Amino acid sequence: MARLPSAERRRQLTEAAIRAMARDGVPRTTTRSIAAEAGVSLSVFHYCFDSKQQLIESVITTITGHYVTVVKEAIRPRATLEETVRAGFRAYFDHVRAHPDEHMLTYELTQYALRQPGFEHLARRQYELYAEAYTELIEQLRQSMGLRLRVPVPVLARYLAAMTDGLTLNYLVLGDDSAWTGILDTVTAHVAGLVHDN
């Protein structure tokens, strides 16, 4: 087996963990099954991760990074703020539709962390990451479009995180694609009103 840099090996194991957890569920996924999924020995896993907590934090960070990257690429400035915001939400929703198991896993990770003694901080870190991601996206838009905000950035970031969290869970439960055009239009208009000072 080729030797990889430790950062690349951790990335490989994290992606393997995401696949295994999405398929088998968090409680049933073991370090042994993750190593097998990645095609490495168990000793390689323990070399890269000191604990299951460290692995779960890496999983949470990686999943968040998957969709933030997509949204960041989508929200380049367009003719209007509404078009720009809609493009960002559309990119996120397209990611949810393309990777429902990955998004479902985020909810399972939250519940697992909250119920597992000593893991509670991981649920908090997960939602802090969401707020940080939205802060980054808001700042990107603010700088590129010269926006003046009606609400403080931290408030808007947490609001967007809470809203998309609820919308994502709603879609995963109901799976109603046809309702999303109207929902995205409503959300876009509301968010544009919050961030655009006419």
Side-chain angles (χ1 to χ4, degrees):
M1 174 180 12
R3 288 183 60 83
L4 294 177
S6 57
E8 177 61 21
R9 188 65 82 189
R10 279 193 296 273
R11 187 201 65 74
Q12 178 190 21
L13 282 162
T14 299
E15 294 290 354
I18 291 169
R19 292 191 302 274
M21 289 177 177
R23 182 185 62 239
D24 303 328
V26 176
R28 289 185 300 280
T29 301
T30 63
T31 55
R32 190 175 300 280
S33 68
I34 293 167
E37 181 76 23
V40 301
S41 68
L42 195 55
S43 62
V44 170
F45 178 94
H46 290 298
Y47 174 77
C48 292
F49 292 103
D50 294 333
S51 64
K52 193 169 184 180
Q53 290 181 348
Q54 193 179 59
L55 170 71
I56 288 176
E57 183 164 4
S58 182
V59 165
I60 290 167
T61 303
T62 300
I63 290 175
T64 304
H66 286 172
Y67 66 77
V68 169
T69 300
V70 169
V71 174
K72 281 177 77 172
E73 291 170 1
I75 62 167
R76 66 185 184 282
R78 295 164 195 269
T80 66
L81 177 65
E82 287 80 2
E83 287 177 37
T84 306
V85 171
R86 184 180 288 107
F89 280 119
R90 171 56 62 185
Y92 173 78
F93 176 60
D94 287 346
H95 192 275
V96 173
R97 288 196 306 176
H99 307 280
D101 290 346
E102 193 170 295
H103 287 270
M104 196 176 315
L105 175 58
T106 64
Y107 295 99
E108 189 175 351
L109 286 166
T110 305
Q111 294 298 316
Y112 178 82
L114 288 173
R115 291 179 179 276
Q116 194 77 9
F119 282 62
E120 301 90 344
H121 69 283
L122 294 176
R124 183 174 293 107
R125 180 65 188 133
Q126 182 179 9
Y127 279 77
E128 287 170 353
L129 273 173
Y130 295 164
E132 289 168 14
Y134 274 108
T135 298
E136 187 179 343
L137 293 169
I138 292 165
E139 292 294 356
Q140 177 182 328
L141 269 185
R142 195 162 80 151
Q143 290 174 16
S144 63
M145 300 188 77
L147 303 177
R148 290 180 295 158
L149 306 181
R150 294 179 187 270
V151 295
V153 171
V155 172
L156 182 57
R158 284 199 170 200
Y159 171 75
L160 290 171
M163 182 181 59
T164 51
D165 195 43
L167 290 173
T168 302
L169 185 57
N170 191 273
Y171 173 75
L172 291 173
V173 172
L174 299 177
D176 188 0
D177 278 4
S178 62
W180 271 82
T181 300
I183 291 170
L184 289 177
D185 287 345
T186 302
V187 169
T188 296
H190 184 217
V191 171
L194 288 173
V195 302
H196 192 207
D197 192 356
N198 294 315

